[in-house]
Amino acid sequence: MKNKEEVCLLVQARLGSQRVPSKMLRPFAGTTLVDILFEKLSKSKSIPKENIIFSAYEPELKEVANKYGINIFHRSEKSAFSEGNPLTEIYEWYNKLPYKYVILVSACNPLLKIETIDKFIQSFIDSEKEGGFAVFEKKTYYWDKYGKSITDWGDSNIMNTKLVEPIYEAAHCLYASRMDIIGDGYWMDTNSPPTPELFVMDELEAFDIDYEWQFKLGEKLYENLCRY
């Protein structure tokens, strides 16, 4: 079990998305993606508000964090426009924050519930592993690029998903890692590939906005499923 005070929850955002320009602050169901996440995090029962940090470069983003009283890490311009390699460039906070562990939460998943975020946080704190990763279950059939089945059909000659062992797909919205390993180019843990504590969540909550059509669909889903 980890000491909760050694864990920070970090949100990182920028306005430079090429596929969905300024998606973090574009009007979205009467609010914005950043506002939606901060409103949820303000209700967290698993992590103190002072341990929540927003990594941002643009002043417009920092204004939103100030509105919610969220601590700000002043991201550099170089990091904000980085393509993600090396890790130490995009995650430049890794050796500048006084925490042993970081939980990274994406602002691109408007259907993600605070209850799920809290359960992920607690799952990581309770785990003996150095990293954590959210996934969702898939029970279906897969083939590799050569047309060879990579699903165990068992004794069946027909497809029956009830008989398939589940596999787990990356949810790309909740991650946890020890801070110091980032300096050596590792993320979540020092294994290759990593073997983090897997946290199984609902697939719909992992709906990610990475393209324009997803922004429009996500807005409709949020209006129908999350507004009350």
Side-chain angles (χ1 to χ4, degrees):
M1 179 176 287
K2 303 170 183 68
N3 183 344
K4 185 183 291 187
E5 297 305 317
E6 294 182 319
V7 181
C8 71
L9 186 148
L10 192 140
V11 180
Q12 182 153 290
R14 62 180 183 175
L15 297 180
S17 171
Q18 295 182 349
R19 287 177 289 208
V20 191
S22 301
K23 65 179 175 180
M24 291 292 104
L25 293 181
R26 277 176 59 181
F28 182 94
T31 180
T32 71
L33 292 175
V34 174
D35 279 282
I36 288 171
L37 183 55
F38 285 159
E39 285 179 6
K40 291 173 187 173
L41 296 182
S42 66
K43 302 172 185 175
S44 174
K45 297 178 181 178
S46 295
I47 198 158
K49 188 175 182 180
E50 56 268 25
N51 288 33
I52 301 174
I53 300 165
F54 185 43
S55 172
Y57 167 69
E58 292 90 347
E60 302 95 316
L61 287 172
K62 294 178 184 179
E63 286 179 12
V64 181
N66 284 329
K67 182 172 66 174
Y68 292 91
I70 301 293
N71 292 318
I72 296 172
F73 176 83
H74 298 282
R75 191 178 184 183
S76 70
E77 182 177 11
K78 184 177 182 180
S79 172
F81 290 94
S82 170
E83 293 302 316
N85 190 30
L87 274 178
T88 51
E89 185 173 276
I90 191 169
Y91 295 161
E92 60 184 350
W93 35 258
Y94 82 95
N95 61 353
K96 300 177 179 67
L97 296 173
Y99 299 97
K100 185 175 180 179
Y101 302 98
V102 59
I103 293 174
L104 197 64
V105 183
S106 172
C108 297
N109 307 85
L111 307 185
L112 182 61
K113 299 176 182 177
I114 185 56
E115 293 82 6
T116 302
I117 297 172
D118 276 346
K119 287 178 182 177
F120 178 86
I121 294 169
Q122 197 60 52
S123 170
F124 177 62
I125 289 174
D126 292 342
S127 171
E128 297 297 325
K129 294 198 173 184
E130 297 178 327
F133 191 44
V135 296
F136 51 83
E137 184 180 282
K138 302 291 284 189
K139 291 189 68 172
T140 187
Y141 289 78
Y142 295 91
W143 286 260
D144 65 18
K145 65 180 180 179
Y146 303 107
K148 181 180 178 181
S149 175
I150 57 176
T151 302
D152 182 4
W153 288 57
D155 297 326
S156 177
N157 293 320
I158 60 172
M159 286 186 285
N160 184 347
T161 54
K162 293 179 181 179
L163 303 177
V164 174
E165 286 294 319
I167 62 171
Y168 298 95
E169 183 174 328
H172 298 298
C173 59
L174 291 163
Y175 317 76
S177 179
R178 218 176 77 207
M179 283 273 205
D180 62 326
I181 64 174
I182 297 173
D184 296 320
Y186 292 101
W187 177 237
M188 293 191 284
D189 63 32
T190 55
N191 298 312
S192 184
T195 56
E197 183 76 25
L198 295 183
F199 175 83
V200 182
M201 61 175 289
D202 180 79
E203 182 176 358
L204 183 59
E205 287 187 62
F207 182 88
D208 182 53
I209 294 178
D210 204 28
Y211 294 92
E212 191 66 36
W213 70 266
Q214 292 169 328
F215 188 94
K216 295 174 181 177
L217 176 58
E219 186 174 32
K220 296 300 182 184
L221 288 171
Y222 180 79
E223 288 174 335
N224 283 280
L225 299 175
C226 303
R227 297 301 293 267
Y228 38 77

